[in-house]
Amino acid sequence: MEEVYLARQPIYNRDLDVCGYELLYRHGQSGTSNVANGDSATASVIENYIMSFGLESITGGKTAYINLTRNFFVQDFIPFQKHQVVLELLEDIEPDEELITSLQYLCERGYSIALDDYILDTDERHRLYPYVNIIKVDVLNMSYQEVARHARKLIRPDGPKLLAEKVENKQMMDLCRKAGFSYFQGFFLSRPSTFSTQSMTTQRVPLLRLIAALHDPEIDLRKLESIISQDLSLTYKLLRYISSPLFGIRGGVESIRSAILYLGRQELARWAMILALVSEDNQPAERVRSLLIRARVCEQLTKHRYGGSDRGTAFTVGLFSGLDAVFDCTMESICEQLPLSDETRQALINHSGPYGRVLEAALAQEQGNWDRLQQLDIPAEQLNGFYLDAVQWADVQYQQLASSIK
């Protein structure tokens, strides 16, 4: 199998609901981008991952945005149903008559087309407007004036919608929305909104102390029971969760001790972690899912000896790595208030140590940072397997647990 790295990145509408995922991939042999390598990488992803796992399982049934090379368009090799995909034209594809004829045919068949990385004044692909549904604009290094100019020049009644890509913070997200963009892509949900140094509120601390305690091998049942009992809301949510149809316990469970014994340490830890995320006001579901995916990938990397020795700690590191954005405070502030091991702290704050290595790998996969992945020397096929397993696992976990504890 070709060494091809694969990831997905969410695409949001104006209400911050996920409406699709772009599939990111690159050939493992450095940054070479000639046609043969591009065709090979695309074909390998389609054959070995999309067809094997199923496109809908990778995207959760949402639209897949897929970059295709020129040959896939002009040779009419589109192995997807029109309702499943948006086909992306890369910026280096020549907009000649052969391509225009192919796009016209695809449009007649009902396929949606997107122009990737469009830049005003210098992009020759304006000839393709009649066949395009979405224009993607890279706003990473743009001023607001330049963002507004793109919107003013490109938005037309009944014309293509604009998608802002590489949106890195909420401020840029708000600016693009105000300018008239319809879709948004980037890491703005994974960053704190204000980069505040504030501490966590007292309501958050008992739950996070419970999560940390569950990964202390010396902790005993009485200590866990005491931590949960300190917070009435936490007690209620635990008993409600254990009594849900998910477990099918006749008569339910009426004591904290019984709930702890029934669930066991690992299941209780997972429940507490997800509760910490979904209990926060206005948490986008995609943020929670992405952290679950990250945590699961970290766990699998540790299980297969790519860093660290304890799978539970790796899972915690992966999930906690996004708490600065969830709670809108610094990672240092979070770590100060929790009884975490030095290894866990170093992984979360500096991405160092054995658990820092697996976190770095999970983040690189998630962000499509292929050069960093190659530096970490983790086989692409194995990492892709961990990632796709995590995507499906996270979707199931989120649906089951979030519905039980809200």
Side-chain angles (χ1 to χ4, degrees):
M1 184 184 295
E2 295 280 355
E3 279 281 294
V4 178
Y5 295 104
L6 173 68
R8 74 178 192 183
Q9 189 174 111
I11 294 170
Y12 304 87
N13 61 22
R14 292 178 63 85
D15 295 324
L16 285 188
D17 295 323
V18 175
C19 57
Y21 292 95
E22 180 176 357
L23 300 190
L24 308 175
Y25 51 89
R26 196 185 76 178
H27 196 280
Q29 298 301 316
S30 72
T32 54
S33 58
N34 61 57
V35 172
N37 276 340
D39 288 346
S40 176
T42 304
S44 181
V45 167
I46 291 172
E47 179 182 356
N48 296 313
Y49 297 108
I50 295 177
M51 294 305 181
S52 296
F53 284 83
L55 188 61
E56 292 193 354
S57 68
I58 296 174
T59 64
K62 300 186 185 300
T63 302
Y65 286 61
I66 301 180
N67 294 309
L68 296 177
T69 60
R70 176 188 174 86
N71 285 336
F72 280 83
F73 286 100
V74 299
Q75 295 178 12
D76 189 26
F77 178 52
I78 310 295
F80 309 109
Q81 299 296 315
K82 61 185 179 183
H83 66 276
Q84 294 180 303
V85 294
V86 172
L87 307 175
E88 293 196 29
L89 273 166
L90 298 175
E91 64 275 15
D92 58 355
I93 295 180
E94 182 70 24
D96 56 20
E97 292 301 323
E98 183 181 31
L99 180 64
I100 290 174
T101 300
S102 299
L103 294 184
Q104 184 176 8
Y105 177 61
L106 288 170
C107 287
E108 290 171 353
R109 292 164 58 193
Y111 281 94
S112 296
I113 309 295
L115 295 184
D116 193 25
D117 287 337
Y118 192 88
I119 302 176
L120 277 176
D121 306 326
T122 63
D123 204 309
E124 295 297 322
R125 291 175 297 169
H126 57 82
R127 301 173 59 196
L128 307 179
Y129 276 14
Y131 317 106
V132 170
N133 306 91
I134 295 171
I135 297 176
K136 301 181 71 174
V137 179
D138 183 343
V139 301
L140 180 61
N141 295 313
M142 282 189 182
S143 66
Y144 176 60
Q145 289 75 17
E146 192 65 11
V147 170
R149 187 174 79 91
H150 274 73
R152 187 171 60 252
K153 295 282 189 179
L154 295 173
I155 295 176
R156 294 287 184 273
D158 301 321
K161 303 292 186 183
L162 292 194
L163 188 159
E165 57 181 340
K166 297 187 181 176
V167 182
E168 296 293 296
N169 55 61
K170 187 177 184 298
Q171 181 184 26
M172 179 57 80
M173 167 69 198
D174 292 340
L175 291 175
C176 290
R177 182 189 281 158
K178 182 179 179 181
F181 282 75
S182 297
Y183 305 109
F184 312 90
Q185 181 179 0
F187 300 114
F188 56 96
L189 278 184
S190 64
R191 309 280 194 262
S193 298
T194 61
F195 295 94
S196 168
T197 57
Q198 67 183 6
S199 297
M200 293 179 291
T201 63
T202 55
Q203 289 88 348
R204 294 166 175 165
V205 173
L207 182 55
L208 295 179
R209 287 194 183 282
L210 171 62
I211 294 169
L214 285 162
H215 291 96
D216 178 357
E218 304 298 325
I219 199 76
D220 61 24
L221 177 60
R222 287 179 297 176
K223 181 62 174 177
L224 292 177
E225 189 176 8
S226 173
I227 293 172
I228 296 172
S229 299
Q230 291 172 14
D231 188 277
L232 290 177
S233 174
L234 190 56
T235 300
Y236 168 76
K237 289 174 179 176
L238 173 59
L239 295 179
R240 182 182 176 191
Y241 172 64
I242 197 69
S243 300
S244 71
L246 194 64
F247 296 97
I249 303 173
R250 292 185 178 180
V253 173
E254 297 182 354
S255 74
I256 298 171
R257 179 176 291 257
S258 296
I260 295 172
L261 289 172
Y262 185 88
L263 284 176
R265 185 185 297 247
Q266 185 176 46
E267 185 64 30
L268 182 61
R270 294 188 192 279
W271 166 80
M273 289 176 185
I274 297 173
L275 177 60
L277 299 177
V278 301
S279 295
E280 287 297 301
D281 294 336
N282 302 316
Q283 281 305 306
E286 186 60 28
R287 176 182 280 165
V288 180
R289 287 194 184 94
S290 68
L291 290 178
L292 287 170
I293 292 168
R294 191 184 303 170
R296 177 75 165 187
V297 170
C298 288
E299 179 185 47
Q300 291 299 307
L301 286 168
T302 291
K303 177 183 176 182
H304 290 82
R305 301 182 180 181
Y306 287 107
S309 58
D310 182 79
R311 293 166 53 186
T313 299
F315 189 96
T316 300
V317 166
L319 198 67
F320 275 28
S321 66
L323 289 186
D324 53 347
V326 172
F327 296 149
D328 197 22
C329 59
T330 65
M331 187 59 69
E332 289 83 356
S333 176
I334 291 171
C335 289
E336 283 175 4
Q337 298 178 63
L338 294 173
L340 301 172
S341 69
D342 287 340
E343 276 191 330
T344 301
R345 290 172 187 269
Q346 290 304 313
L348 290 171
I349 295 173
N350 303 318
H351 294 187
S352 61
Y355 296 106
R357 181 174 189 267
V358 298
L359 176 59
E360 276 282 288
L363 287 169
Q365 179 87 2
E366 179 182 312
Q367 297 169 3
N369 186 348
W370 314 128
D371 292 333
R372 180 59 177 141
L373 279 179
Q374 286 188 289
Q375 292 171 3
L376 292 168
D377 196 26
I378 299 172
E381 181 182 354
Q382 192 167 30
L383 187 54
N384 289 340
F386 296 157
Y387 180 78
L388 293 173
D389 165 77
V391 166
Q392 297 176 57
W393 176 88
D395 285 342
V396 172
Q397 289 291 310
Y398 180 81
Q399 291 169 10
Q400 290 182 339
L401 290 170
S403 63
S404 298
I405 60 183
K406 282 187 175 180

